[in-house]
């Protein structure tokens, strides 16, 4: 049955590809593999990352594509290099760190905003305090938790002088320099931010149109919403002499078949997505790149959903766990992912550091078994669903009927890969008689609905912002901006109590024994996974297409793409 569905999916995608053309009259050399047709304008790089970005404000962005735009148009104290190693940027070398590890003093280099004004330590003080201010409502405000706060809630960050920034931490933080390299810690230009938001109700208004002040390698010159963006070189960038390109042109689209057609036609030099049915054809193509990353593709449940009405918190967790057990992760990896992704049994990805000099060792939750064949752990899942009040009868076709009838709605954003995974899950749950409706939304609408809890079950993914498990765990704090599951927020009787988890994360923040800290993080992940609200499917790797006449693009382990030092030749 799965082979039939996979064939139908492939046929559907081929038809879609034939129906969608690029923006050029040039034709692709091949329908089955990436073309070497390439643009010869050596001053301009043509790129697709995703569709219309939700936010260009570094403090408000919470998407990978938005982060990519941020790191190319803003720069902070530190940055990742082509080897994913941290390097000083606006910090003049390594900071001075106190003996107790609590005070960081950064000496800043002299640099300018794109409008020519001096950038000083006060810009960091303003920007970081703005990011944690309640009125900004930044999803990533919790990333400033390692910094001590004053009685009024402001951060203990001080501009000693124009080029000296002093930061006081709550406890030693092994990943603090990773934090200052993240988009959330990037500086923003105070006069413009405040002028665009006089009444304090629209904190991101200043970056909703082209022309705003930034300090990175490129500035946004024009923006045709839902269609294109043009960034131009910033002559005031601190390494402007190393920037060879004059312009970045972005195609805004989530239609991966249209994107692929544009790439083959030579209208794109770089594409961050590939239609699922083309992946197998591209594996040996030198223009197709597969790189390591730290992240997990997963399904999340809204713990306050009406689908759990009438169940206890324990029964609701069993129901979610049963649905997780039914998913055949290996089949998804083999037929949809196709690039060597590892099926996931835990939320924290393989290979993540433990913050104590080793690799984090997670518990075995039993959702995935490498020796498993066929669709999920059906008998184990049925037993859990029976504990929730459901009964089953064999249907004579290798499946089951469920009573009472159960209909679920699975929400995803558009994209051939996401939609193919949704159909795999639809089939796996259908094996036990569950009727699954798949709903697809445009990217920004999808993000807002998921964040607001306007869903029952949704596809999700998390790329680590830095290489420490706390980044995968702190997002589930009650009221956290990225806590799409509504854990700790939902008042439903079937939602788990979450005070103990919040207390555990706050204990991790202040634990100075790094070995004990690693144990506490393992305990926190166990608590998270016991809710069944998170269903890990596989650990990400990252794929993209890049023309052979382009060099110098690099990516970090958190999938940020850096275009500022790219070069493009005519051949």
């Amino acid at each position: 049955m799965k082979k039939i569905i996979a064939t139908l999916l492939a046929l559907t995608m081929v038809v879609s590809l034939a129906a969608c053309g690029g923006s050029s009259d040039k034709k692709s050399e091949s329908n089955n593999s990436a073309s070497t047709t390439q643009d010869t304008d050596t001053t301009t790089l043509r790129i697709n990352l995703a569709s219309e970005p939700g936010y260009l404000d570094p403090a408000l962005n919470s998407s990978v594509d938005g982060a990519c735009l941020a790191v190319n148009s803003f720069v902070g104290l530190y940055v990742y290099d082509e080897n994913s190693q941290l390097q000083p940027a606006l910090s003049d070398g390594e900071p001075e760190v106190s003996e107790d590890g609590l005070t960081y003093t950064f000496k800043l280099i002299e640099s300018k905003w794109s409008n020519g004004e001096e950038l000083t330590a006060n810009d960091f003080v303003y920007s970081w305090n703005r990011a944690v201010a309640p009125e900004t409502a930044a999803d990533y405000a919790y990333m400033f938790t390692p910094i001590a706060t004053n009685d009024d809630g402001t951060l203990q960050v001080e501009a000693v002088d124009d080029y000296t920034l002093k930061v006081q931490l709550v406890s030693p933080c092994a990943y603090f320099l990773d934090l200052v390299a993240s988009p959330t810690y990037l500086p923003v230009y105070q006069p413009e931010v405040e002028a665009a938001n006089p009444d304090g109700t629209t904190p991101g208004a200043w970056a909703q149109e082209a022309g705003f002040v930034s300090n990175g390698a490129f500035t946004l010159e024009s923006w045709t919403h839902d269609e294109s963006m043009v960034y131009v070189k910033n002559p005031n960038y601190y390494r402007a002499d190393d920037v060879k390109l004059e312009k970045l042109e972005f195609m805004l689209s989530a239609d991966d078949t249209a994107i692929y057609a544009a790439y083959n036609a030579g209208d794109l030099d770089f594409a961050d997505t590939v239609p699922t049915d083309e992946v197998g054809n591209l594996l040996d193509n030198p223009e197709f790149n597969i790189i390591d990353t730290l992240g997990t593709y997963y399904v999340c449940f809204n713990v306050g959903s009406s689908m759990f009405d009438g169940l206890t918190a324990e029964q609701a967790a069993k129901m979610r766990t049963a649905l997780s057990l039914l998913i055949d992760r290996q089949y998804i990896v083999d037929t949809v992912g196709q690039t060597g992704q590892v099926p996931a049994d835990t939320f924290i990805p393989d290979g993540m550091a433990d913050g104590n000099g080793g690799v984090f060792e997670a518990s075995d939750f039993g959702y995935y078994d490498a020796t498993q064949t066929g669709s999920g752990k059906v008998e184990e899942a049925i037993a859990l669903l029976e504990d929730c009040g459901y009964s089953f009868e064999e249907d004579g076709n290798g499946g089951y009927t469920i009573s009472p009838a159960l209909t679920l709605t699975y929400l995803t954003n558009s994209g051939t890969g996401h939609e193919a995974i949704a159909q795999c899950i639809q089939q796996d749950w259908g094996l036990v008689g569950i009727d699954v409706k798949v709903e697809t939304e445009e990217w920004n609408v999808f993000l807002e609905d998921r964040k607001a809890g306007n869903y029952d079950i949704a596809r999700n993914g998390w790329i680590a912002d830095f290489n420490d498990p706390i980044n995968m765990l702190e997002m589930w704090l009650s009221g956290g901006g990225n806590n799409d599951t509504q854990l700790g927020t939902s008042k439903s009787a079937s939602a788990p109590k979450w005070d103990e988890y919040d207390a555990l994360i706050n204990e991790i923040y202040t634990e100075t024994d790094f070995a004990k800290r690693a144990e506490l993080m393992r305990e926190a992940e166990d608590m998270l996974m016991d809710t069944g609200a998170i269903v890990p499917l596989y650990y990400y790797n990252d794929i993209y297409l890049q023309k052979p006449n382009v060099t110098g693009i690099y990516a970090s382990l958190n999938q940020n793409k850096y275009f500022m030092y790219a070069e493009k030749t005519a051949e």
Side-chain angles (χ1 to χ4, degrees):
M1 181 64 176
K2 284 183 174 175
K3 290 182 179 178
I4 295 174
I5 287 181
T7 301
L8 290 173
L9 279 171
L11 288 172
T12 300
M13 294 171 191
V14 169
V15 170
S16 298
L17 182 58
C20 297
S23 60
S24 170
D25 292 330
K26 292 180 284 186
K27 295 183 179 179
S28 168
E29 294 178 358
S30 169
N31 290 325
N32 298 316
S33 60
S35 165
T36 55
T37 302
Q38 56 197 36
D39 177 72
T40 58
D41 179 356
T42 61
T43 66
T44 302
L45 193 68
R46 295 175 172 85
I47 303 164
N48 171 267
L49 291 175
S51 55
E52 179 81 357
Y55 293 102
L56 298 184
D57 183 334
L60 293 179
N61 171 69
S62 59
S63 66
V64 173
D65 48 291
C68 290
L69 294 170
V71 298
N72 285 280
S73 53
F74 294 88
V75 63
L77 296 174
Y78 266 70
V79 69
Y80 289 103
D81 66 14
E82 63 275 12
N83 299 310
S84 288
Q85 298 299 308
L86 285 167
Q87 299 294 339
L90 300 190
S91 177
D92 189 5
E94 299 284 337
E96 177 186 329
V97 183
S98 62
E99 191 172 327
D100 60 7
L102 298 181
T103 305
Y104 281 66
T105 303
F106 295 90
K107 291 291 186 179
L108 275 61
I109 64 171
E110 293 187 12
S111 66
K112 295 181 179 181
W113 292 100
S114 57
N115 64 358
E117 291 189 19
E118 295 295 322
L119 191 153
T120 70
N122 282 301
D123 291 307
F124 284 96
V125 174
Y126 166 75
S127 300
W128 294 3
N129 276 302
R130 172 182 178 266
V132 300
E135 56 269 25
T136 304
D139 288 349
Y140 276 117
Y142 59 80
M143 287 182 66
F144 290 88
T145 304
I147 301 178
T149 56
N150 299 302
D151 292 340
D152 62 358
T154 58
L155 300 172
Q156 290 189 21
V157 180
E158 175 191 357
V160 178
D161 56 46
D162 281 352
Y163 296 101
T164 305
L165 182 70
K166 187 175 182 179
V167 185
Q168 189 70 28
L169 303 186
V170 176
S171 59
C173 181
Y175 55 90
F176 186 63
L177 293 182
D178 290 89
L179 288 177
V180 301
S182 70
T184 312
Y185 276 69
L186 294 173
V188 294
Y189 183 62
Q190 182 176 359
E192 187 170 58
V193 173
E194 294 182 345
N197 183 32
D199 61 359
T201 60
T202 54
W206 66 280
Q208 288 298 316
E209 299 294 340
F212 56 84
V213 175
S214 60
N215 74 318
F218 299 95
T219 60
L220 182 57
E221 180 183 63
S222 63
W223 185 357
T224 303
H225 288 279
D226 297 308
E227 183 178 315
S228 64
M229 306 171 80
V230 177
Y231 284 78
V232 295
K233 180 178 176 178
N234 172 18
N236 289 316
Y237 179 54
Y238 82 112
R239 288 183 57 184
D241 289 346
D242 296 321
V243 179
K244 307 305 180 186
L245 295 168
E246 295 295 329
K247 190 182 298 184
L248 304 178
E249 294 182 352
F250 288 89
M251 171 188 178
L252 301 179
S253 175
D255 184 343
D256 46 16
T257 55
I259 294 163
Y260 188 63
Y263 181 86
N264 280 336
D267 297 328
L268 288 173
D269 303 304
F270 181 97
D272 211 24
T273 186
V274 172
T276 298
D277 65 310
E278 293 291 345
V279 172
N281 298 323
L282 291 167
L283 292 176
D284 295 325
N285 191 307
E287 297 178 33
F288 184 64
N289 296 268
I290 304 172
I291 58 175
D292 293 334
T293 192
L294 283 174
T296 305
Y297 189 109
Y298 63 101
V299 173
C300 63
F301 288 89
N302 176 359
V303 297
S305 166
S306 61
M307 67 181 281
F308 304 117
D309 286 354
L311 300 179
T312 65
E314 182 182 4
Q315 287 176 317
K318 285 184 175 182
M319 183 177 181
R320 293 187 289 264
T321 300
L323 294 171
S324 177
L325 290 169
L326 287 167
I327 298 173
D328 188 345
R329 290 156 171 80
Q330 189 65 55
Y331 182 79
I332 288 173
V333 165
D334 290 344
T335 64
V336 181
Q338 305 177 67
T339 57
Q341 295 94 339
V342 176
D345 187 54
T346 63
F347 182 59
I348 295 175
D350 277 352
M352 180 163 266
D354 66 0
N356 190 41
V359 176
F360 185 79
E361 297 288 343
S363 301
D364 181 1
F365 298 103
Y367 299 128
Y368 166 73
D369 180 350
T371 65
Q372 170 185 317
T373 58
S375 181
K377 296 186 172 182
V378 178
E379 292 183 4
E380 189 177 343
I382 284 177
L384 289 172
L385 289 170
E386 286 175 337
D387 288 346
C388 299
Y390 294 97
S391 61
F392 297 86
E393 291 185 6
E394 294 186 20
D395 63 7
N397 297 311
Y400 298 83
T401 59
I402 186 173
S403 181
L406 179 59
T407 298
L408 304 176
T409 301
Y410 180 94
L411 184 66
T412 183
N413 57 300
S414 57
T416 56
H418 301 314
E419 293 170 46
I421 289 172
Q423 293 186 47
C424 289
I425 293 172
Q426 183 182 49
Q427 178 183 322
D428 288 338
W429 291 349
L431 183 67
V432 296
I434 299 171
D435 181 27
V436 182
K437 309 295 185 186
V438 177
E439 292 186 358
T440 303
E441 291 184 337
E442 182 271 332
W443 176 236
N444 286 324
V445 175
F446 172 71
L447 286 181
E448 291 303 317
D449 278 344
R450 198 174 62 186
K451 178 180 178 180
N454 296 329
Y455 75 97
D456 298 318
I457 311 165
R459 90 96 191 157
N460 214 322
W462 189 257
I463 306 298
D465 297 293
F466 50 89
N467 191 2
D468 190 277
I470 192 63
N471 184 243
M472 309 293 291
L473 298 170
E474 63 187 352
M475 60 190 287
W476 307 112
L477 284 164
S478 297
N482 293 303
N483 182 358
D484 296 335
T485 60
Q486 315 303 307
L487 284 162
T489 302
S490 171
K491 304 303 181 183
S492 170
S494 58
K497 302 299 182 185
W498 212 231
D499 293 349
E500 187 178 344
Y501 185 88
D502 291 342
L504 182 55
I505 296 301
N506 284 306
E507 182 180 354
I508 293 167
Y509 282 144
T510 57
E511 180 55 61
T512 57
D513 181 333
F514 286 171
K516 182 179 179 181
R517 178 178 178 272
E519 289 299 322
L520 292 174
M521 290 191 290
R522 186 172 296 109
E523 183 181 336
E525 186 182 33
D526 290 350
M527 193 180 301
L528 174 67
M529 298 305 293
D530 284 345
T531 69
I534 304 301
V535 179
L537 297 187
Y538 61 78
Y539 302 124
Y540 276 113
N541 52 29
D542 193 17
I543 63 172
Y544 61 89
L545 287 167
Q546 180 177 313
K547 293 295 185 182
N549 64 327
V550 176
T551 58
I553 297 174
Y554 67 92
S556 59
L557 286 173
N558 53 16
Q559 289 194 9
N560 285 343
K561 307 297 190 309
Y562 295 84
F563 302 110
M564 63 276 284
Y565 307 122
E567 296 187 51
K568 184 176 170 184
T569 61
E571 298 180 357

